[in-house]
């Protein structure tokens, strides 16, 4: 618990003093770490606020690597914490679109698999969509010779 408090404290200090202001990648990383810390304390409101701030910054700065990670984190938040599969799917589909455009095949396969999980969780009529996304993920993993 002490490490968690220190992590949040370090983030708040760096944000308040502007240490990360000229390094958007670090600020996004700090926001993600703070979101993780809030998640561990059960503070969902601050968790999603940090993730949405990180999303806005990644979009503004056109930082695709960070953007993909944040989209995945937000999708997971809505799927696992809120059970809001519609919002989870929206962010997951944005993640897929991003990785299709950047050509990051491993990340694309992970996004397809995660989207398959969302469709599976949604149930009622989405089983085929889940299978389609799992198959897309599998095809990419096979092409990458990933076990």
């Amino acid at each position: 618990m002490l490490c968690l408090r220190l992590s949040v404290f370090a983030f708040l200090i760096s944000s308040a003093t502007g240490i990360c202001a000229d390094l958007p990648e670090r600020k996004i990383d700090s926001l993600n770490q703070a979101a993780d810390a809030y998640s561990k304390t059960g503070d969902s409101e601050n968790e999603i606020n940090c993730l949405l701030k990180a999303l806005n910054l990644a979009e503004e700065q056109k930082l695709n690597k960070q953007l993909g990670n944040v989209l995945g984190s937000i999708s997971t938040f809505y799927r696992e914490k809120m059970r809001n599969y519609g919002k989870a799917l929206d962010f997951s589909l944005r993640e897929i679109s991003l990785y299709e455009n950047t050509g990051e095949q491993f990340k694309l396969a992970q996004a397809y698999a995660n989207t398959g999980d969302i469709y599976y969780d949604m149930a009622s009529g989405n089983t085929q969509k889940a299978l389609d996304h799992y198959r897309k993920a599998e095809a990419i993993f096979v092409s990458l010779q990933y076990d």
Side-chain angles (χ1 to χ4, degrees), residues 21 25 100 103 118-119:
E25 294 94 342
E100 285 175 339
I118 295 166
Y119 279 120

Side-chain angles (χ1 to χ4, degrees), residues 50-147:
C50 286
L51 290 173
L52 292 173
K53 285 178 186 176
L55 175 67
N56 289 334
L57 185 57
E59 288 175 331
E60 287 171 7
Q61 299 293 319
K62 296 178 179 29
L63 299 169
N64 287 337
K65 178 182 175 190
Q66 288 81 3
L67 179 58
N69 291 337
V70 173
L71 288 169
S73 295
I74 294 172
S75 177
T76 299
F77 171 85
Y78 281 116
R79 177 179 166 240
E80 293 179 0
K81 294 255 173 89
M82 301 285 110
R83 303 285 189 244
N84 185 333
Y85 302 118
K87 277 193 173 185
L89 185 60
D90 289 344
F91 285 99
S92 192
L93 292 173
R94 285 179 60 190
E95 183 183 14
I96 286 174
S97 178
L98 174 75
Y99 290 134
E100 285 175 339
N101 290 324
T102 64
E104 293 179 68
Q105 293 298 297
F106 183 79
K107 292 283 197 172
L108 178 60
Q110 288 179 315
Y112 274 127
N114 291 336
T115 305
D117 290 344
I118 295 166
Y119 279 120
Y120 181 81
D121 289 345
M122 292 171 85
S124 66
N126 289 303
T127 306
Q128 189 58 49
K129 288 181 181 179
L131 288 171
D132 291 344
H133 282 78
Y134 291 142
R135 286 185 186 118
K136 288 178 182 180
E138 179 185 29
I140 295 170
F141 284 133
V142 167
S143 75
L144 295 173
Q145 298 179 358
Y146 183 80
D147 293 328

Side-chain angles (χ1 to χ4, degrees), residues 8-74:
V8 172
F9 180 71
F11 167 75
L12 294 173
I13 294 296
S14 66
S15 295
T17 59
I19 291 172
C20 297
D22 59 338
L23 302 169
E25 294 94 342
R26 286 195 182 169
K27 187 167 187 175
I28 292 167
D29 290 343
S30 294
L31 285 163
N32 282 328
Q33 289 173 342
D36 187 49
Y38 285 123
S39 174
K40 290 176 180 165
T41 63
D43 187 346
S44 296
E45 184 176 341
N46 279 316
E47 177 183 1
I48 192 61
N49 286 338
C50 286
L51 290 173
L52 292 173
K53 285 178 186 176
L55 175 67
N56 289 334
L57 185 57
E59 288 175 331
E60 287 171 7
Q61 299 293 319
K62 296 178 179 29
L63 299 169
N64 287 337
K65 178 182 175 190
Q66 288 81 3
L67 179 58
N69 291 337
V70 173
L71 288 169
S73 295
I74 294 172

